[in-house]
Amino acid sequence: NFMLTQPHSVSESPGKTVTISCTCSGGSIANNYVQWYQQRPGSSPTTVIYEDDQRPSGVPDRFSGSIDSSSNSASLTISGLKTEDEADYYCQSYDNTNLWVFGGGTKLTVL
Amino acid sequence: EVQLVESGGGLVQPGGSLRLSCAASGFSFSKYWMHWVRQAPGQGLVWASRIRSDGSETDYADSVKGRFTISRDNAKNTLYLQLNRLRVEDTAVYYCVRASNGGDNFDSWGQGTLVSVSS
């Protein structure tokens, strides 16, 4: 069964860099693109990274994405952390059997 | 500006039915695949269903297959989700979502509509 596993929570200080992992099981992370969504409390999700490493217009270049075939995982890195980055982050990809799959989400605390 | 506005949520008893609607504007609705994604209270995002741009193909998550039906009216720029035989575990905010042209990126989301299933 295709699954994406994320850490439940991460925390870091303003100005620092944080990386959120998304580990794939039951398939290969490289087979289909990975997207990352940010969901602030009380709001709908928005895309911060699509197609593994692409940033939509309006998303600051402090956000970057990558995949690592050797560890079968994707990563979202946020540098120069700001308090406004505090949110839940979800990875998402596609699998031929399970179709569109989300990771369980990671709560980022900026303290 | 892309706008997706859901409606139709509410409180329903187990075994009941609801029909969700999503009014789309600001883009060529008939050219895009559309999805429904749900989020139970305090939980993560879960994909539920999708429909091809012309309505010719649909897919469902195993958890809703046989109970939910996705459809669209491209003349009215509206997406629908018919929810039948509802269960307590279907309680969630239901988001109408646009998929990027030809891709799997969910690039626009509505504000969501809450479905509560309880006796």
Side-chain angles (χ1 to χ4, degrees):
Chain A
N1 216 23
F2 185 86
M3 289 178 56
L4 299 173
T5 301
Q6 301 178 232
H8 182 69
S9 63
V10 296
S11 61
E12 190 49 271
S13 303
K16 299 291 189 180
T17 297
V18 69
T19 297
I20 299 172
S21 63
C22 172
T23 302
C24 175
S25 58
S28 172
I29 196 74
N31 279 357
N32 290 285
Y33 287 125
V34 175
Q35 282 64 234
W36 289 91
Y37 303 94
Q38 176 192 68
Q39 186 178 32
R40 294 191 173 107
S43 296
S44 302
T46 61
T47 305
V48 290
I49 294 290
Y50 68 98
E51 293 181 357
D52 295 343
D53 57 6
Q54 301 299 301
R55 267 189 321 276
S57 60
V59 174
D61 60 6
R62 301 184 297 104
F63 289 79
S64 62
S66 64
I67 65 165
D68 181 352
S69 296
S70 64
S71 61
N72 208 25
S73 65
S75 295
L76 171 68
T77 298
I78 311 171
S79 60
L81 275 169
K82 301 184 177 184
T83 55
E84 68 203 46
D85 299 330
E86 192 161 286
D88 294 328
Y89 291 86
Y90 295 89
C91 60
Q92 173 252 322
S93 189
Y94 175 84
D95 170 71
N96 288 338
T97 301
N98 299 282
L99 304 182
W100 291 269
V101 177
F102 287 93
T106 299
K107 181 178 179 61
L108 169 62
T109 301
V110 182
L111 35 64
Chain B
E1 179 195 4
V2 174
Q3 280 206 314
L4 299 168
V5 180
E6 302 95 334
S7 60
L11 176 63
V12 61
Q13 292 187 336
S17 298
L18 277 178
R19 189 195 199 198
L20 308 183
S21 299
C22 170
S25 61
F27 67 102
S28 296
F29 179 71
S30 63
K31 294 183 179 180
Y32 287 82
W33 288 23
M34 297 294 295
H35 298 251
W36 288 97
V37 174
R38 64 182 184 175
Q39 185 171 34
Q43 302 300 309
L45 303 171
V46 178
W47 173 79
S49 183
R50 75 91 178 169
I51 187 166
R52 194 183 174 98
S53 54
D54 62 0
S56 62
E57 286 183 18
T58 59
D59 285 296
Y60 300 92
D62 286 345
S63 58
V64 308
K65 198 175 296 183
R67 299 186 302 121
F68 292 6
T69 303
I70 190 172
S71 62
R72 64 193 296 162
D73 185 336
N74 284 345
K76 295 183 177 179
N77 290 340
T78 303
L79 176 72
Y80 302 100
L81 187 67
Q82 177 68 41
L83 290 64
N84 294 333
R85 290 162 33 213
L86 281 160
R87 305 167 180 168
V88 171
E89 56 266 33
D90 294 320
T91 294
V93 172
Y94 286 73
Y95 293 102
C96 167
V97 185
R98 188 184 82 167
S100 60
N101 230 345
D104 296 318
N105 175 28
F106 295 169
D107 67 1
S108 295
W109 298 63
Q111 86 288 351
T113 186
L114 176 63
V115 172
S116 296
V117 185
S118 174
S119 54

